[in-house]
Amino acid sequence: MATKEQKILRKILGDYYESNNEMLFSCPFCDHHKKKMSVNLDKNVWKCWVCDSSGRSIDFLVKKFGTTEDLKDWGLDRELNFENIEFILYGEKVEVKKETIFLPEGFVPLFAPGRSYHRQRALKYMRKRGYDDDQIFRMKAGVCTKGEYKGRVIVPSFDEQGDLNYFIARTYANDFPKYKNPKVSKSSMIFNELTINFNRPIIIVEGVFDAMRVGQNAIPILGSTIKSDHLLFERIVENRTPVYIALDEDAHKKEKKIIELFLNYGIDVKKVDTSGYEDIATMPREVVEERIENATDMGGLNFLYQLIEEVA
Ligand SMILES: [Zn+2]
């Protein structure tokens, strides 16, 4: 008989076999076809024998690959503070680098069991915007059924360690304002860093819905910009990560500065054509893919040409 923990892990990591008190899964980090990642529930450790990924807490795997529902089942809901009445608490402004954020009061994952009027409406809204259930699921999106954030789709963001570092709250009922997001310094956080692989090219977009449209490895800058002292910039430079810039068509000036900054640091930059659409979120998926594929390399003389074109 599989234990409750084993059932949750199978849901998150897929089928496994048991050997000497350990569970052996296909590793989600290296995607090796053989089941070489061992998870030891008694010792609360895990390790992949192919790529050497390892950790001292299985909580991490649940946070990284599980849905909000899985987190709850695993008993991590306390950490996410679903029921906390103080919906957002800030850490001490002085000296504390990491701000503590809690999900708003009344947060329920969109795919929680049972029927709910608010969830149905939120799901309908997301599907209407062209997001399929798998995308909604992977983004751990939820909804608030009461409180200040009632009537809003919530998309939570988790930092490298799997701790909540931000969320967006978008109305699905035409309320004002459209977005109600926590006031957090965007220079020191990366939206859903937990799911970002800096060893592969990343796509920089404006908003969370744009990032959802792109799918994997897209980072929204949330109306902010990128400067040399920002955490996102540090990560890109230390990993030499190639970058695709896919900002809104009207963000010309900002885009130019960002491209220039990356080029100065020797980072490969490609510019994705976003013309003809209000934003990436309104582009059909095929168009997004095609435009990323045909992005313009900004290295060499291309950037210069672009500048000349603007002056002319
Ligand atoms: Zn591995």
Side-chain angles (χ1 to χ4, degrees), residues 27-32 37 48-53:
C27 171
F29 295 95
C30 65
D31 283 331
H32 197 270
M37 185 176 82
C48 169
W49 299 98
V50 178
C51 70
D52 252 4
S53 297

Side-chain angles (χ1 to χ4, degrees), residues 31-153:
D31 283 331
H32 197 270
H33 63 283
K34 283 185 182 162
K35 294 185 170 58
K36 291 283 188 186
M37 185 176 82
S38 79
V39 174
N40 189 318
L41 280 167
D42 295 334
K43 293 181 181 155
N44 193 24
V45 291
W46 57 273
K47 179 183 171 69
C48 169
W49 299 98
V50 178
C51 70
D52 252 4
S53 297
S54 67
R56 286 160 189 275
S57 168
I58 298 168
D59 287 0
F60 176 80
L61 294 175
V62 179
K63 285 180 183 175
K64 187 164 173 77
F65 300 108
T67 63
T68 26
E69 200 49 35
D70 298 327
L71 288 171
K72 267 185 150 175
D73 291 344
W74 194 258
L76 288 169
D77 52 331
R78 189 187 50 78
E79 225 162 300
L80 289 175
N81 267 282
F82 289 93
E83 263 82 54
N84 203 307
I85 297 166
E86 306 285 339
F87 46 88
I88 305 167
L89 288 179
Y90 296 107
E92 285 285 319
K93 274 271 181 287
V94 202
E95 297 294 311
V96 177
K97 220 185 160 192
K98 198 165 165 179
E99 289 158 287
T100 310
I101 294 197
F102 299 107
L103 284 171
E105 180 197 9
F107 177 87
V108 190
L110 282 185
F111 288 101
R115 292 177 67 85
S116 146
Y117 166 76
H118 295 286
R119 267 206 337 263
Q120 284 316 113
R121 281 200 62 188
L123 266 176
K124 205 174 146 195
Y125 167 80
M126 294 297 279
R127 287 170 182 153
K128 205 174 152 197
R129 287 194 66 166
Y131 299 102
D132 62 37
D133 291 2
D134 182 56
Q135 287 170 312
I136 300 168
F137 206 68
R138 266 191 285 127
M139 292 303 273
K140 303 176 172 72
V143 69
C144 279
T145 54
K146 58 178 177 179
E148 193 192 339
Y149 290 84
K150 189 167 119 179
R152 289 172 184 274
V153 171

